Amino acid sequence: MQGIIFRETRMCGIVGAIGKKNIVPVLIEGLKRLEYRGYDSCGVAVHTGTALVRARSTSRVAELEAQGGLDAHLGIAHTRWATHGAPAVHNAHPHFSHGITSASAELVEAAPRIALVHNGIIENHDALRQALQNKGYTFVSQTDTEVIAHLIDSLYAGDILEAVQKTLPQLHGAYALAVMARDEPQRLIGARQGSPLILGVGTQGSHYLASDAMALAGVTDQIVYLEEGDIADVQLGKYWLIDGAGKRLTSQPKAGDRPIKTVLAHSGAAELGPYQHYMQKEIFEQPRALADTLEGLESISPELFGADAAGTFKTIDQVLILACGTSYYSGCTAKYWLEAIAGVPCSVEVASEYRYRTSVPNRKTLVVTISQSGETADTLAALRHAQSLGMTHTLTICNVASSAMVRECQHAYITRAGVEIGVASTKAFTTQLAGLFLLTLALAQTKGKLSDAQEQMHLKAMRHLPVALAAVLALEPQLIVWANAFARMENALFLGRGVHYPVALEGALKLKEISYIHAEAYPAGELKHGPLALVTAEMPVVVVAPNDSLIDKLKSNMHEVRARAGVLYVLADADSHIKSEEGIHVIRLPEHYGDLSPLLHVVPLQLLAYHTALARGTDVDKPRNLAKSVTVE
């Protein structure tokens, strides 16, 4: 398929380790901590001291662990989402290169010279594959990763670091790599470009590589973040970092240009407690997550976003929000707030599209990125593109203080949602909205559009959020009734108006993510412009109906649905005067929440999606084809 560029859209997991003791348990536990991200195959390779051996599986990490028999002081491990090649053992990482031979796959397995795991995408893999085949290399997988292993082997002359350094300039795309050579039994090489990789500094000579600090939780909290173009040369009791220009930066134990940071990562194997799934647990953690995110909030000021944010806020005259998926919908919500409350023009861009079109830069723009992980590749690339256009005023709303997004932005607001394990985002979304509402108020204050009385009113409302949200969660039994009806359907429409249209978008996304029901959201006023043709008794229509200035218009849209025999499921406020009757099912939220209504109306939609998926028997926490973090374009 010459000329076609495939782009990875999943997050794979890397763990590597070197130590004086058997490191296989560390590798396996690291993979287990990354399982929540999703994967369809996994594997581990170790250096026995004389040879490279591996075990791979298309089942869970527990099955890989059950294969047993591995004991070594050096190894690498991986969880993979299939892109190049089906989810099959021969496509699973780690990948080997055995040198030039025309031997069978069995011989390849018996005499590997290079072992490698890879996150990312090599866009020129077809051309590299052809060149390597011309040299006599035999490929046993359909992956782009195997190309890297053979390319390193072709350049290897006894120094694996040197071979990797010669290989990287030939790779077009993104990668995080961990590499071992058969002839260097106490050496592990890591490299990153466009995909995250960290180095864990251990005790007693042990060191680690990983794609996420969570993989090393309980092993070490001393983390060095590799930057773009960095290579790590990791050996027993020491390590060095080399930047993209070939300059050696760090030698153990000095931190040098890449400081060692203490990162208190939490294991993905958190206790479920009384909950059936992590998604359900995380929905019910939202009152606590919001309370933690807003903890200590006494007043509104730009300093909430950094010591020097006031100067930036005075300078800017518009906002550009860059985000993907659920974070994009939180940005769409913030657009309404920023323009209505702060009077600041705002545009919201899908990050994966923004840098591929010609736009008109404005140096007085505040570029705001939103990301749960802070490693979302599309959003990072969009941020860098905006910076390259001269828009240097940057701010991120992010849940991970140590992430690349936070490091690369001038200013930040760190949400405190805690670890979110379920693939479908819930508490990250509501805490993002809280951070964006604070940003709105801070900009409004800077622009002279927030009076003292308005500030106190908004602060009171925000402090009330955890209590208000807990009252909404009490509606779960009513939503279970709705879910049992939805579970029999294959399509659904979601409607909202104004600031609640993004909430409808998020509700539709949640339903399709985990229940696999086709769901779409529209501004309710758009019904007559096409979507109304789809409405039948078999197409449930969910309506987000707070008692705001658009309620009468929304009621007219609901009449349009009923006139076509559509069945309505309405999330209304207590005082919106919408009654349950034939074809209209109403759940009333306890009170009207004003500007903060989106944070509360989205929660019933999360519960509806969760219980519909539960009724349909899908894998709620690990829906098919999806992964938690999208860290490669």
Side-chain angles (χ1 to χ4, degrees):
M1 301 182 69
Q2 186 70 27
I4 296 178
I5 294 178
F6 297 88
R7 292 188 181 275
E8 171 74 85
T9 57
R10 311 288 174 243
M11 173 57 187
C12 304
I14 287 175
V15 189
I18 185 170
K20 295 179 180 179
K21 298 180 180 179
N22 179 22
I23 48 79
V24 174
V26 172
L27 299 176
I28 294 296
E29 287 302 313
L31 293 186
K32 287 181 178 178
R33 294 186 182 101
L34 297 178
E35 280 191 292
Y36 75 97
R37 294 175 178 267
Y39 63 102
D40 50 34
S41 64
C42 53
V44 59
V46 298
H47 201 305
T48 64
T50 57
L52 299 172
V53 297
R54 67 182 168 187
R56 297 181 292 178
S57 173
T58 54
S59 184
R60 293 300 179 191
V61 174
E63 194 277 334
L64 182 70
E65 182 180 26
Q67 292 183 30
L70 297 180
D71 187 323
H73 302 291
L74 173 65
I76 53 179
H78 192 265
T79 53
R80 171 188 185 249
W81 267 114
T83 52
H84 296 77
V89 170
H90 68 278
N91 287 324
H93 298 219
H95 284 283
F96 282 169
S97 178
H98 53 279
I100 298 173
T101 180
S102 57
S104 66
E106 287 75 20
L107 183 57
V108 170
E109 191 72 24
R113 305 197 325 170
I114 301 293
L116 176 143
V117 292
H118 164 226
N119 287 354
I121 176 69
I122 305 305
E123 294 177 352
N124 61 331
H125 68 96
D126 280 336
L128 292 173
R129 178 185 293 261
Q130 186 61 57
L132 288 162
Q133 286 175 329
N134 291 342
K135 289 183 178 181
Y137 281 91
T138 300
F139 284 78
V140 296
S141 79
Q142 288 78 51
T143 68
D144 57 333
T145 301
E146 190 180 3
V147 168
I148 312 173
H150 290 319
L151 186 55
I152 292 173
D153 181 89
S154 72
L155 297 168
Y156 184 67
D159 187 323
I160 187 61
L161 173 62
E162 182 179 303
V164 170
Q165 286 177 308
K166 290 179 178 178
T167 295
L168 298 183
Q170 300 185 50
L171 304 180
H172 299 166
Y175 52 78
L177 305 175
V179 189
M180 303 185 299
R182 179 191 63 197
D183 297 336
E184 298 178 72
Q186 292 193 348
R187 199 175 193 187
L188 177 64
I189 302 297
R192 70 153 293 185
Q193 182 70 46
S195 194
L197 191 69
I198 63 169
L199 187 150
V201 180
T203 58
Q204 298 180 341
S206 298
H207 295 313
Y208 311 93
L209 293 175
S211 52
D212 189 318
M214 186 179 293
L216 304 181
V219 176
T220 182
D221 59 5
Q222 300 300 292
I223 303 298
V224 178
Y225 287 90
L226 274 64
E227 296 185 6
E228 290 291 272
D230 281 357
I231 300 174
D233 184 357
V234 186
Q235 301 181 31
L236 191 63
K238 54 190 175 183
Y239 68 86
W240 296 269
L241 295 185
I242 301 97
D243 68 13
K247 176 186 175 184
R248 181 169 290 193
L249 299 176
T250 305
S251 180
Q252 171 75 1
K254 291 184 178 180
D257 297 72
R258 302 288 185 266
I260 300 174
K261 297 185 177 182
T262 300
V263 178
L264 301 177
H266 299 281
S267 170
E271 292 295 328
L272 273 172
Y275 302 102
Q276 289 182 265
H277 298 92
Y278 287 112
M279 182 179 178
Q280 184 188 29
K281 177 176 183 282
E282 286 153 12
I283 290 171
F284 278 84
E285 284 177 340
Q286 287 177 111
R288 191 272 309 157
L290 282 168
D292 288 349
T293 295
L294 301 173
E295 184 179 10
L297 181 64
E298 299 295 334
S299 62
I300 301 299
S301 73
E303 283 68 31
L304 291 168
F305 300 88
D308 54 349
T312 297
F313 288 4
K314 290 176 183 177
T315 300
I316 63 100
D317 59 16
Q318 67 180 36
V319 172
L320 168 63
I321 296 176
L322 303 171
C324 300
T326 286
S327 296
Y328 172 75
Y329 296 145
S330 70
C332 291
T333 306
K335 175 183 172 69
Y336 287 90
W337 290 335
L338 285 161
E339 296 193 346
I341 299 173
V344 177
C346 176
S347 58
V348 188
E349 295 269 2
V350 175
S352 59
E353 291 290 318
Y354 170 66
R355 69 189 178 108
Y356 294 113
R357 69 174 184 84
T358 301
S359 57
V360 181
N362 176 356
R363 293 177 184 273
K364 291 186 177 182
T365 298
L366 177 63
V367 179
V368 177
T369 62
I370 311 170
S371 171
Q372 188 276 137
S373 67
E375 302 289 350
T376 309
D378 291 318
T379 308
L380 280 168
L383 168 67
R384 293 162 187 161
H385 177 65
Q387 291 169 325
S388 75
L389 296 176
M391 294 188 289
T392 58
H393 300 304
T394 58
L395 182 150
T396 190
I397 307 292
C398 184
N399 193 43
V400 182
S402 57
S403 65
M405 202 79 71
V406 174
R407 297 197 303 272
E408 294 187 26
C409 285
Q410 277 185 318
H411 313 293
Y413 189 83
I414 308 302
T415 59
R416 297 173 64 186
V419 175
E420 190 177 63
I421 294 173
V423 166
S425 180
T426 52
K427 61 179 180 174
F429 179 71
T430 48
T431 53
Q432 285 171 356
L433 289 179
L436 289 163
F437 193 73
L438 286 176
L439 175 62
T440 299
L441 298 182
L443 284 170
Q445 184 186 72
T446 302
K447 303 299 181 182
K449 296 182 179 294
L450 185 72
S451 68
D452 290 344
Q454 289 171 324
E455 177 182 349
Q456 292 308 309
M457 176 190 71
H458 289 306
L459 285 171
K460 180 179 179 181
M462 295 197 81
R463 294 188 188 110
H464 180 60
L465 274 173
V467 174
L469 203 150
V472 175
L473 288 168
L475 300 172
E476 185 180 30
Q478 297 177 58
L479 289 155
I480 292 173
V481 175
W482 281 16
N484 289 333
F486 271 67
R488 300 189 296 270
M489 305 299 177
E490 293 301 327
N491 302 280
L493 286 177
F494 287 68
L495 303 177
R497 298 202 72 146
V499 72
H500 294 90
Y501 167 49
V503 172
L505 286 165
E506 174 62 10
L509 177 63
K510 286 292 152 289
L511 188 67
K512 62 184 134 189
E513 277 183 309
I514 62 171
S515 75
Y516 315 146
I517 293 173
H518 173 247
E520 298 295 338
Y522 291 91
E526 286 293 293
L527 271 177
K528 296 186 293 293
H529 299 279
L532 201 56
L534 297 173
V535 173
T536 69
E538 297 302 310
M539 172 80 81
V541 180
V542 180
V543 184
V544 184
N547 190 18
D548 59 16
S549 61
L550 293 170
I551 187 64
D552 289 334
K553 297 287 187 183
L554 188 61
K555 288 178 180 178
S556 296
N557 303 137
M558 292 165 56
H559 286 304
E560 294 168 353
V561 172
R562 284 299 300 134
R564 277 78 179 176
V567 181
L568 292 163
Y569 292 81
V570 185
L571 292 170
D573 289 339
D575 54 356
S576 57
H577 306 295
I578 301 173
K579 297 180 180 179
S580 292
E581 55 187 72
E582 184 180 356
I584 303 179
H585 308 276
V586 180
I587 292 178
R588 300 187 186 282
L589 275 65
E591 55 184 299
H592 179 57
Y593 298 97
D595 292 320
L596 292 169
S597 174
L599 280 84
L600 283 301
H601 272 86
V602 76
V603 174
L605 300 180
Q606 295 170 350
L607 287 168
L608 174 62
Y610 170 74
H611 284 289
T612 302
L614 197 64
R616 288 168 69 95
T618 62
D619 191 338
V620 173
D621 287 333
K622 300 172 186 175
R624 68 188 182 201
N625 303 331
L626 299 178
K628 184 60 184 172
S629 298
V630 183
T631 59
V632 182
E633 181 186 14

